[in-house]
Amino acid sequence: MIINEQIKASEVRLTGIDGEDLGIVSRSEALALAKRHDVDLVCLSLMSSPPPCRLVSRSAAKQDRNAQKREEKRKAQTPKEKEIRLTPHIEDHDYDTKLRQIEKLLQSGHAALLTVRAQSKESQQAKALLERLVSDLKGKGSKETGIQVSGKGAAVKIIPSE
């Protein structure tokens, strides 16, 4: 957010405190008007010429600036990857519970790493369980990696759908 003296344009399209259009005025005149009313001059966009600016109360400008910083900080955080462990001999009720847990993770924006611990002879059951989970989660998440089967189990990473 560009405010007051940070605005470098020689002329600005000015909007008043109550939203009234004040037309195109010089930067110095707009700054003097802002100082006279004890408000900030805030530039809304740099993409047009002259840039649209608005007179905003100091507390509102500060709140907007803080909200923008919080939003940038939230977007900069990487989504966490949570691991959900299963067994190939899972019962239906437990399966439904794990499915709801995975759906909550995906809705909150986290990725889910689904791992099935199995012995080598149960690896096909583990793969079938993961395929069932992936098909049940269609629309809520998608596979980032394919199902990886190893000697001690199988794993797949599911990321939230946009």
Side-chain angles (χ1 to χ4, degrees), residues 4-125:
N4 297 333
E5 282 78 22
Q6 294 175 343
I7 300 171
K8 301 294 183 200
S10 59
E11 291 184 329
V12 296
R13 182 178 304 275
L14 191 60
T15 304
I17 299 170
D18 298 323
E20 68 275 7
D21 186 28
L22 301 177
I24 298 174
V25 296
S26 69
R27 174 181 167 261
S28 57
E29 188 179 334
L31 286 171
L33 193 60
K35 188 172 264 183
R36 193 172 333 129
H37 290 291
D38 197 32
V39 293
D40 284 327
L41 180 66
V42 178
C43 183
L44 303 174
S45 171
L46 295 174
M47 296 300 146
S48 60
S49 180
C53 294
R54 181 179 197 134
L55 296 175
V56 180
S57 69
R58 294 192 190 277
S59 61
K62 189 174 182 180
Q63 284 178 345
D64 287 347
R65 217 176 13 249
N66 289 341
Q68 191 175 27
K69 283 182 184 176
R70 277 194 306 273
E71 186 66 23
E72 287 174 4
K73 191 174 184 181
R74 187 184 63 79
K75 284 184 180 180
Q77 290 178 345
T78 58
K80 292 187 172 68
E81 178 182 306
K82 308 278 182 157
E83 182 179 15
I84 305 292
R85 293 184 182 168
L86 305 149
T87 60
H89 305 292
I90 191 167
E91 294 183 17
D92 290 338
H93 178 272
D94 295 331
Y95 177 84
D96 293 337
T97 303
K98 290 290 187 179
L99 186 64
R100 281 194 308 275
Q101 185 181 12
I102 296 165
E103 287 172 351
K104 280 184 184 177
L105 280 174
L106 294 174
Q107 286 174 351
S108 65
H110 299 292
L113 178 63
L114 310 178
T115 57
V116 179
R117 299 283 178 211
Q119 296 168 358
S120 60
K121 58 187 172 196
E122 298 172 331
S123 63
Q124 292 308 313
Q125 287 177 310

